[in-house]
Amino acid sequence: MTTIVLADDHPIVRQGLRALLEKQSSYQVVGEASDGLEAVAMVERLKPDVLIVDVMMPGLNGLQVTRQVRERAERTRIIVLSMHTNESYVLEALRGGASGYVLKATAAASIVEAVRAALGGHRYLSPPLTDHVIEAYIRKAEEATNDVDGYKLLTAREREVFQLDAEGLSNGEISARLHISPRTTETHRTRILRKLGLRSRGELVRYAIKHGIIDL
């Protein structure tokens, strides 16, 4: 039996995916998460064969979920769901360790195929995405070696604090959510602003929106 965890903040999307996947007699959805932090914890606990995660999630976006799951549950295959065909999202997902990138517009036709490909050790990209396009984009990105993105310098914990801060949570709320002290939260925030060259929460929010870390 192939075990699957679904992570999407829209219950109706999770319901649709569950119904679609469980039509396959060998697939079982063993958990559902509504935010990124919950998704990582659930995968660590359940050790599913496959995680299907939306690219835009509260708490921790799907790209960061992918990176953390790859580090903490190596055997779990990851498929990223997205509305975005932007090559930068696809590249980040693949670099983070995703086995598939499925566009929501084609999810009904593609998701089972993507799961099968991932379980077989193959990569799956929804049309109109192709390996050729992605590999060309990767080469282009590698050529731009002088373009250092400060966000890539953030630690995993700093990225968690960054997103929760950008979503408007208070210092105390972030501390409670991540089980760290308010002082530690404030230290992370200071380091984040310094690494990104930002001066205020307003600038941090604008940065997060511009770089697709949170939605408007």
Side-chain angles (χ1 to χ4, degrees):
M1 182 69 69
T2 295
T3 56
I4 301 171
V5 164
L6 303 176
D8 193 293
D9 58 328
H10 296 98
I12 193 168
V13 173
R14 297 198 307 271
Q15 291 168 12
L17 289 172
R18 176 186 280 270
L20 184 66
L21 291 163
E22 291 191 338
K23 285 182 179 178
Q24 310 296 314
S25 59
S26 60
Y27 292 173
Q28 180 183 9
V29 176
V30 295
E32 297 184 21
S34 59
D35 71 59
L37 294 170
E38 182 186 6
V40 173
M42 187 173 291
V43 169
E44 281 193 281
R45 184 175 76 254
L46 299 177
K47 302 291 191 298
D49 298 304
V50 178
L51 167 67
I52 299 174
V53 59
D54 187 14
V55 74
M56 283 299 173
M57 295 276 287
L60 195 66
N61 68 49
L63 300 177
Q64 298 311 312
V65 170
T66 298
R67 288 185 178 277
Q68 292 202 20
V69 167
R70 179 54 53 233
E71 293 172 357
R72 303 180 191 188
E74 292 183 1
R75 66 175 294 275
T76 297
R77 305 298 183 187
I78 306 162
I79 296 169
V80 174
L81 280 178
S82 179
M83 296 173 59
H84 305 283
T85 58
N86 188 305
E87 290 171 337
S88 62
Y89 283 99
V90 186
L91 175 60
E92 189 66 21
L94 297 179
R95 279 180 168 170
S99 296
Y101 191 96
V102 176
L103 299 177
K104 283 192 170 183
T106 66
S110 303
I111 196 66
V112 172
E113 189 176 349
V115 171
R116 287 173 179 162
L119 292 171
H122 305 295
R123 184 165 66 185
Y124 182 89
L125 300 173
S126 286
L129 304 170
T130 67
D131 282 341
H132 177 74
V133 171
I134 300 308
E135 287 167 4
Y137 185 82
I138 291 173
R139 287 195 298 272
K140 181 179 177 182
E142 289 174 345
E143 289 170 1
T145 53
N146 294 326
D147 183 16
V148 179
D149 183 356
Y151 185 73
K152 295 178 181 177
L153 302 178
L154 301 185
T155 65
R157 177 64 85 193
E158 287 169 349
R159 293 185 186 197
E160 292 173 351
V161 172
F162 174 94
Q163 180 161 342
L164 293 172
D165 197 15
E167 290 175 357
L169 274 68
S170 68
N171 194 61
E173 289 170 331
I174 295 172
S175 301
R177 188 70 194 277
L178 299 178
H179 307 290
I180 58 178
S181 71
R183 183 173 181 178
T184 299
T185 298
E186 189 56 44
T187 297
H188 284 311
R189 180 184 284 112
T190 299
R191 289 174 178 168
I192 291 164
L193 294 175
R194 184 180 70 248
K195 288 180 179 181
L196 299 180
L198 306 176
R199 293 173 292 180
S200 67
R201 170 179 269 185
E203 289 186 356
L204 184 146
V205 171
R206 287 192 290 274
Y207 182 100
I209 293 170
K210 178 181 178 181
H211 289 79
I213 296 164
I214 62 172
D215 274 330
L216 286 170

